[in-house]
C-alpha cells in the first residue's frame, strides 16, 4: 500500500474537481469555496453530475447530506442514486438541487423549542468549503442544518459564522498595519484525540459501559497508572494493528492522521492529526470519532470516547490547538521577524488574552457536559478554572511592556514597541505546562478543556466569537486614533494590565491556585454543567454573540435548553442503569455469596471447627447488602421525583444536587462489596479485566 496513493482517494477534493469539472464550473466553485461567493445553480448541477460519476466509479450507490445536529454526533439519511428509466431498468441520478439542499425530517432532532416557535421543518444546505467524501457505499455531502426560519439547528452553521466574524475583525486590524494584500483570515485547529480501547467480549458484559459509555461501578484494581509505564510505552501488537487500520481509513478520507501513542492511563491512547482549517478540522474530528469506533469492532475491541470511563485513572480529553493565519501564509500568533510584525503579533496575543478573560464563562460552558464534569477539576486534566499559560519568556516580555521597564531577557533593554525586535521565542520546551487549560505553545494556543467525545465545534465557536469581538473593539479604538503607533502601544499596555489576572504559569492542579484564582483574582470556578450554562444567557455574553452575528437570541435560548437536556438525560440513564445493575446483578451476587458462606458456616459449626473468617465476612456482606439496597431505593425514588419535574434549569440542578450525590452513595458500598466477594460470584468484569484485558 502506498500512502500517497490512498490518501484522500475517497474525497471529492480540489484535485478531483480540477480534473473532472469544466474550467468555468471549477473556477466558479472555487470562488464560492475560497471567497464565499454565492453558488450559481447551473454550477451546482454540473458539480452534482461530476460528483455522481466519480462516486459511482468508486462503488457508491447512495448519497446523504451529512450534518451535525445538536445531539453532538453526526447524522445521515441515505438515498440511493437510482431513478427508474423507461426500459424498466434504473439509471444513477443526482441533481444539483439534491446536492444543494435536503429536507431531512427534523422533528426527532433536538431543537430546544426552535421548531415549536418557528417552523416544524428543517433543511440541510451544502457547505462547499468542506469536501464531499465516500464512506462505505455512500457519498456524504457535508451540510449545515437549519430551520426554515433560518435558525441554526446544528453546530456547523454557527461555526462558519464565527469564522466569518473573526475574518471580518482581523482584516480590520491588518488593514491598520497596512496589510492590504490579505484577503482572508482563517482559524486552524489540530485536535488531539484521546481514547480507551477495551476488549469487546469484556465490554459486552458491562451494562454500564453498554448504556452509558462509562463504568458506574468498579473497585480500584491492584494496579492503575501509578507506575507511569503506559505513557509513550511500546504499543501492543493488537493495538498497533488497530491503529494501522484506523490510519488507513482516515487517510482515505483525506484526514491527516499523524501521531499515535499510548497515553497516561492503562488502555488509553491518543491520535493527533495535522492541523487544518477549523471547519474542516471539525468535520474530520467527527469522522475520526466515528471511524475509531467502527474500526475497533473489526479488531474485537471497543473504543471508549467517554471523558471518564474509569474512576481513579485519567479521563480523556481533546486538546484543541488553535491559531489564526492569513491567506498569504502568515500565522498571526507567531512572532515575526521585524519589529513591526512583532507589535502586530503582540496585539493579536493580547487580544486573545482579553477574549479568554472576558469570555471565560463561554469557553467553560462550551465544553460543559455530564461526562466532562468528571474530568475538569478532578485533579487530572485542567481544572474548571480557566487561565492562560504563556511561559517564562513571553511573560517577561509582557511584564516589561506593562511596567515600561527593561526586559530582563538576553539584551536587557527597554522594549520600544514598533522599534525593537523581540527575541524569537519558539515553543518553550523547558516548561511544557500540562496543567493549564489554555496554553500558549509557541505559535498557537492549546485549549485543553474540550472533552474527548465533544464536538470541537462548540469550543471553537466561542473562541472565534470572543476573539472577533475583542479585535472588533480594538479596531474601533485604533481606527479613530490620531497617532496609530502611540495608540497601539497604549492599547497593548492597558490590555495587559486589565487582563493579566487570567495569566497563570504555575501548577493548575494546586489547591492554592484555585483559592487564589477565585478569591484574589475573581476568576470563575464553574464546576458543573448547570453552573456553567447559566452564563450562556448572561447579558454581556448574549450581546457579544449576537453582535458578532454568531447566534441569534432564539438560538442561544434553544442551546441553553438542549445542552442542559443532554446533561439531564445522560445522568438519568446512568442513574437508572445503576439501579438496574444493583438490583439485578450486584445484590444477587453479594447475597448469593453471603448465603454460600453462611451454609459453609453452619456446616463448619456442626463439625465444631473454627469459623471466624466466615462469620466476619457474612456479617460484612450482609451489612453492605443492606446499605446497597437502601441506597438503590433512594436513587430510584429520586429518579421518579426527577421525572415529575418540568423546568429544565430546576431539573439540571436536581441532577447536580440530588441524583449525582446519590449515585456516589450507591457506588461506595458496591465497590466495597466487590473487594470482598469471590470472583466466581462477581457478576461482571472488573477494572483490572477492562484496563489490562487487551493483550
Ligand atoms: P503536542 O502538543 O502533543 O506536543 P504538537 O504541539 O506538536 O504536539 O502538536 C499538537 C497539534 O497541534 C497537532 O495536531 C498539530 O498539527 C497542531 N498544530 C501545530 N501547529 C499548529 C498551528 N499553527 N495551528 C493549529 N494547530 C497547530
Ligand atoms: Mg498538545
Amino acid at each position: 500500500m502506498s500512502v500517497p496513493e490512498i490518501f484522500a482517494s475517497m474525497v471529492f477534493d480540489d484535485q478531483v474537481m480540477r480534473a473532472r469539472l469544466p474550467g468555468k464550473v471549477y473556477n466558479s466553485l472555487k470562488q464560492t469555496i475560497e471567497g464565499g461567493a454565492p453558488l450559481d445553480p447551473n454550477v451546482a448541477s454540473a458539480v452534482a453530475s461530476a460528483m455522481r460519476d466519480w462516486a459511482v466509479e468508486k462503488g457508491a450507490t447512495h448519497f446523504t447530506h451529512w450534518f451535525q445536529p445538536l445531539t453532538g454526533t453526526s447524522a445521515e439519511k441515505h438515498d440511493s442514486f437510482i431513478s427508474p428509466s423507461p426500459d424498466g431498468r434504473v439509471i444513477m441520478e443526482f441533481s444539483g438541487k439534491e446536492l444543494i439542499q435536503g429536507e431531512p425530517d427534523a422533528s426527532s432532532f433536538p431543537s430546544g423549542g426552535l421548531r415549536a416557535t418557528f417552523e416544524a421543518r428543517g433543511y440541510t444546505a451544502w457547505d462547499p468549503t468542506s469536501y464531499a467524501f465516500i464512506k462505505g457505499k455512500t457519498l456524504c455531502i457535508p451540510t449545515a442544518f437549519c430551520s426554515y426560519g433560518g435558525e441554526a439547528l446544528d453546530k456547523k452553521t454557527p461555526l462558519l459564522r464565527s469564522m466569518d466574524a473573526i475574518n471580518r475583525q482581523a482584516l480590520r486590524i491588518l488593514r491598520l498595519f497596512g496589510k492590504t494584500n490579505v484577503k482572508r483570515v482563517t482559524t486552524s485547529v489540530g485536535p488531539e484525540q484521546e481514547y480507551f480501547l477495551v476488549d469487546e467480549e469484556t465490554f459486552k458484559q458491562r451494562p454500564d459501559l453498554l448504556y452509558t459509555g462509562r463504568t458506574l461501578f468498579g473497585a480500584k484494581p491492584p494496579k492503575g497508572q501509578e507506575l507511569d509505564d503506559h505513557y509513550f510505552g511500546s504499543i501492543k501488537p493488537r493495538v498497533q494493528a488497530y491503529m494501522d487500520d484506523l490510519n488507513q481509513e482516515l487517510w482515505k478520507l483525506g484526514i491527516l492522521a499523524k501521531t499515535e501513542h499510548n497515553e497516561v492511563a492503562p488502555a488509553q491512547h491518543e491520535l493527533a492529526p495535522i492541523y487544518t482549517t477549523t471547519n474542516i478540522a471539525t468535520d474530520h474530528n467527527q469522522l475520526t470519532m466515528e471511524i475509531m469506533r467502527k474500526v475497533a469492532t473489526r479488531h474485537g475491541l471497543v473504543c471508549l470516547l467517554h471523558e471518564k470511563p474509569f474512576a481513579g485513572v485519567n479521563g480523556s480529553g481533546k486538546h484543541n490547538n488553535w491559531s489564526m493565519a492569513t491567506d498569504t501564509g502568515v500565522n498571526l500568533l507567531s512572532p515575526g521577524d521585524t519589529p513591526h510584525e512583532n507589535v502586530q503579533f503582540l496585539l493579536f496575543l493580547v487580544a486573545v488574552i482579553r477574549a479568554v478573560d472576558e469570555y471565560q464563562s463561554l469557553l467553560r460552558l462550551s465544553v460543559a457536559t455530564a461526562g466532562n464534569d468528571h474530568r475538569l477539576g478532578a485533579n487530572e486534566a485542567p481544572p474548571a478554572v480557566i487561565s492562560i499559560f504563556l511561559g517564562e519568556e513571553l511573560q517577561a516580555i509582557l511584564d516589561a511592556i506593562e511596567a515600561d521597564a527593561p526586559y530582563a531577557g538576553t539584551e536587557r533593554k527597554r522594549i520600544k514597541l514598533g522599534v525593537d525586535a523581540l527575541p524569537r521565542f519558539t515553543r518553550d520546551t523547558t516548561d511544557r505546562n500540562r496543567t493549564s487549560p489554555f496554553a500558549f505553545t509557541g505559535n498557537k494556543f492549546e485549549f485543553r478543556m474540550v472533552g474527548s467525545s465533544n464536538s470541537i465545534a462548540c469550543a471553537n465557536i466561542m473562541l472565534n466569537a470572543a476573539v472577533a469581538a475583542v479585535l472588533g473593539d480594538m479596531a474601533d479604538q485604533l481606527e479613530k486614533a490620531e497617532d496609530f503607533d502611540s495608540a497601539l502601544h497604549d492599547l497593548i499596555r492597558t490590555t495587559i494590565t486589565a487582563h493579566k489576572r487570567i495569566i497563570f504559569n504555575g501548577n493548575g492542579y494546586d489547591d492554592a491556585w484555585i483559592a487564589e484564582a477565585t478569591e484574589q483574582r475573581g476568576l470563575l470556578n464553574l464546576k458543573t454543567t448547570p453552573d456553567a450554562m447559566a452564563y450562556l444567557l448572561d447579558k454581556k455574553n448574549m450581546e457579544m454573540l449576537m453582535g458578532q452575528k454568531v447566534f441569534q437570541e432564539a438560538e442561544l435560548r434553544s442551546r441553553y435548553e438542549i445542552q442542559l437536556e443532554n446533561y439531564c438525560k445522560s445522568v438519568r440513564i446512568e442513574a437508572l442503569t445503576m439501579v438496574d445493575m444493583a438490583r439485578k446483578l450486584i445484590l444477587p451476587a453479594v447475597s448469593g455469596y453471603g448465603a454460600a458462606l453462611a451454609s459453609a458456616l453452619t456446616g463448619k459449626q456442626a463439625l465444631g471447627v473454627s469459623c471466624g473468617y466466615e462469620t466476619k465476612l457474612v456479617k460484612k456482606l450482609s451489612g453492605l447488602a443492606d446499605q446497597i439496597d437502601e441506597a438503590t431505593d433512594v436513587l430510584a425514588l429520586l429518579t421518579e421525583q426527577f421525572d415529575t419535574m418540568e423546568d429544565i434549569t430546576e431539573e439540571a440542578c436536581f441532577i447536580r444536587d440530588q441524583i449525582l450525590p446519590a449515585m456516589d452513595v450507591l457506588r461506595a458500598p458496591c465497590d466495597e462489596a466487590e473487594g470482598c466477594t469471590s470472583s466466581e460470584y462477581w457478576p461482571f468484569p472488573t477494572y483490572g479485566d477492562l484496563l489490562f484485558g487487551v493483550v
Side-chain angles (χ1 to χ4, degrees):
M1 179 222 33
S2 139
V3 179
E5 238 166 68
I6 64 160
F7 189 82
S9 56
M10 291 298 170
V11 186
F12 194 75
D13 62 4
D14 192 63
Q15 207 181 335
V16 183
M17 288 188 217
R18 197 191 297 260
R20 290 180 173 253
L21 294 174
K24 259 172 97 176
V25 173
Y26 172 79
N27 288 334
S28 164
L29 181 60
K30 197 85 182 147
Q31 270 166 17
T32 302
I33 294 174
E34 282 171 4
L39 194 77
D40 180 330
N42 293 328
V43 170
S45 258
V47 177
S49 54
M51 246 186 213
R52 175 208 52 204
D53 291 348
W54 169 81
V56 170
E57 276 168 37
K58 297 260 179 199
T61 53
H62 288 68
F63 71 92
T64 183
H65 277 195
W66 185 76
F67 60 101
Q68 292 155 34
L70 296 167
T71 49
T73 50
S74 47
E76 47 195 80
K77 179 191 87 180
H78 300 177
D79 276 307
S80 73
F81 290 119
I82 64 166
S83 168
S85 66
D87 61 359
R89 312 289 291 264
V90 291
I91 51 166
M92 301 300 255
E93 266 190 356
F94 184 47
S95 69
K97 196 170 156 281
E98 285 171 312
L99 167 64
I100 297 183
Q101 193 165 317
E103 261 188 60
D105 177 6
S107 57
S108 298
F109 292 109
S111 78
L114 271 183
R115 268 189 315 270
T117 337
F118 298 93
E119 166 66 69
R121 289 175 311 160
Y123 71 93
T124 49
W126 181 31
D127 165 22
T129 63
S130 183
Y131 298 133
F133 55 90
I134 297 171
K135 189 158 59 79
K137 289 190 176 299
T138 304
L139 168 69
C140 299
I141 296 140
T143 53
F145 179 39
C146 297
S147 78
Y148 269 93
E151 292 84 13
L153 296 171
D154 70 345
K155 300 190 174 180
K156 186 189 267 285
T157 308
L159 181 66
L160 290 171
R161 292 180 192 152
S162 76
M163 291 175 70
D164 275 348
I166 209 165
N167 172 51
R168 273 195 306 275
Q169 308 300 354
L171 281 179
R172 288 174 67 196
I173 298 281
L174 290 172
R175 295 285 173 270
L176 291 165
F177 281 90
K179 305 281 163 58
T180 46
N181 57 334
V182 176
K183 296 281 176 292
R184 201 165 172 85
V185 171
T186 11
T187 57
S188 294
V189 166
E192 302 166 56
Q193 175 75 49
E194 292 178 338
Y195 61 98
F196 279 85
L197 284 180
V198 297
D199 186 80
E200 193 175 14
E201 286 311 310
T202 321
F203 169 90
K204 281 186 188 155
Q205 297 168 49
R206 298 268 328 201
D208 46 2
L209 282 179
L210 212 54
Y211 294 139
T212 73
R214 76 173 176 113
T215 54
L216 300 166
F217 300 101
K220 272 205 169 62
K223 179 178 169 176
Q225 64 186 46
E226 55 279 272
L227 292 180
D228 289 326
D229 52 354
H230 194 253
Y231 190 57
F232 282 16
S234 101
I235 299 171
K236 291 174 184 150
R238 188 166 165 206
V239 173
Q240 188 62 61
Y242 164 77
M243 289 177 170
D244 292 346
D245 203 359
L246 174 63
N247 285 334
Q248 279 207 33
E249 294 297 331
L250 296 176
W251 288 333
K252 282 190 215 162
L253 290 170
I255 297 172
L256 295 154
K258 171 85 175 164
T259 310
E260 59 194 24
H261 60 81
N262 286 347
E263 259 299 332
V264 171
Q268 194 185 28
H269 313 280
E270 178 182 299
L271 176 130
I274 297 173
Y275 68 99
T276 182
T277 317
T278 306
N279 173 31
I280 293 170
T282 304
D283 286 355
H284 280 180
N285 184 250
Q286 290 298 117
L287 273 176
T288 300
M289 291 194 283
E290 182 185 330
I291 291 166
M292 279 177 143
R293 287 198 170 105
K294 254 187 210 157
V295 172
T297 58
R298 281 189 217 154
H299 293 258
L301 298 166
V302 175
C303 172
L304 304 178
L305 290 171
H306 193 283
E307 283 73 21
K308 195 70 183 174
F310 305 100
V313 298
N314 276 10
S316 299
K318 188 140 55 188
H319 291 175
N320 188 84
N321 294 272
W322 176 93
S323 65
M324 304 180 248
T326 67
D327 58 344
T328 52
V330 177
N331 177 351
L332 297 171
L333 293 177
S334 186
D337 290 323
T338 66
H340 198 62
E341 283 169 355
N342 279 326
V343 201
Q344 184 187 299
F345 158 73
L346 284 170
L347 184 66
F348 280 104
L349 180 79
V350 298
V352 176
I353 293 172
R354 179 177 149 195
V356 173
D357 185 25
E358 275 184 5
Y359 301 105
Q360 45 182 290
S361 56
L362 288 178
L363 286 177
R364 168 63 183 95
L365 72 86
S366 75
V367 298
T369 60
N372 219 11
D373 281 359
H374 294 290
R375 196 177 145 252
L376 302 175
N379 225 16
E380 46 166 286
V385 178
I386 299 204
S387 64
I388 298 182
F389 168 83
L390 286 182
E392 257 174 55
E393 208 176 0
L394 196 49
Q395 182 67 56
I397 292 169
L398 291 197
D399 287 347
I401 294 170
E402 192 201 358
D404 200 13
Y407 165 59
T410 38
E411 291 165 49
R412 291 206 152 271
K413 62 177 184 184
R414 256 174 238 280
I415 298 173
K416 283 219 188 79
L417 292 178
V419 180
D420 296 325
L422 294 179
R424 262 260 177 215
F425 27 85
T426 44
R427 118 126 109 237
D428 204 330
T429 40
T430 49
D431 191 359
R432 297 289 325 270
N433 188 315
R434 287 285 173 189
T435 66
S436 175
F438 204 93
F440 184 71
T441 48
N443 61 0
K444 63 184 188 300
F445 278 99
E446 190 166 327
F447 182 40
R448 302 201 177 112
M449 286 175 118
V450 186
S452 48
S453 69
N454 283 178
S455 156
I456 58 169
C458 304
N460 287 292
I461 292 167
M462 295 307 179
L463 186 54
N464 290 345
V467 173
V470 169
L471 290 174
D473 186 57
M474 288 178 157
D476 288 344
Q477 294 179 49
L478 293 173
E479 282 164 359
K480 284 199 296 256
E482 280 170 19
D483 175 354
F484 175 70
D485 284 341
S486 75
L488 181 61
H489 188 260
D490 286 351
L491 181 60
I492 291 175
R493 269 186 70 181
T494 52
T495 308
I496 297 172
T497 308
H499 300 285
K500 64 181 178 188
R501 66 169 187 161
I502 196 80
I503 302 171
F504 176 65
N505 293 309
N507 179 3
Y509 298 173
D510 205 339
D511 288 340
W513 158 241
I514 303 299
E516 180 188 329
T518 51
E519 288 156 27
Q520 281 144 48
R521 302 199 189 197
L523 299 176
L524 293 169
N525 184 10
L526 304 171
K527 289 195 186 141
T528 67
T529 300
D531 296 337
M533 285 315 292
Y535 285 84
L536 186 62
L537 302 181
D538 184 84
K539 188 163 173 284
K540 181 185 89 174
N541 288 339
M542 286 181 85
E543 279 173 6
M544 184 280 281
L545 291 166
M546 284 151 62
Q548 292 308 311
K549 301 196 169 18
V550 171
F551 284 112
Q552 305 171 32
E553 182 171 347
E555 291 170 344
L556 286 171
R557 296 199 184 278
S558 82
R559 261 144 242 261
Y560 173 81
E561 296 253 325
I562 292 169
Q563 214 168 324
L564 285 181
E565 240 172 50
N566 286 343
Y567 170 82
C568 292
K569 283 181 184 162
S570 327
V571 180
R572 181 177 175 276
I573 294 170
E574 290 178 351
L576 293 177
T577 304
M578 284 188 93
V579 169
D580 207 51
M581 286 174 77
R583 285 185 177 155
K584 295 186 187 149
L585 295 170
I586 297 174
L587 281 171
V590 176
S591 154
Y593 182 47
L597 282 171
S599 83
L601 181 72
T602 12
K604 277 186 158 188
Q605 266 167 345
L607 292 174
V609 294
S610 147
C611 36
Y613 161 68
E614 287 85 357
T615 312
K616 195 177 84 189
L617 197 49
V618 169
K619 277 191 188 157
K620 181 162 184 191
L621 288 170
S622 299
L624 286 169
D626 290 347
Q627 277 182 49
I628 295 170
D629 178 48
E630 196 188 319
T632 308
D633 288 348
V634 170
L635 184 57
L637 213 63
L638 286 170
T639 57
E640 280 169 29
Q641 211 178 322
F642 170 82
D643 288 345
T644 62
M645 299 184 159
E646 282 181 0
D647 176 73
I648 190 65
T649 310
E650 195 192 330
E651 283 177 359
C653 294
F654 188 78
I655 291 270
R656 177 193 63 195
D657 302 333
Q658 304 288 331
I659 305 253
L660 283 165
M663 285 163 61
D664 288 341
V665 170
L666 171 56
R667 177 171 180 155
C670 291
D671 290 358
E672 197 180 338
E674 184 189 329
C676 50
T677 300
S678 155
S679 307
E680 257 179 73
Y681 280 79
W682 199 250
F684 42 77
T686 63
Y687 266 32
D689 300 332
L690 287 162
L691 289 166
F692 299 97
V694 178
V695 284

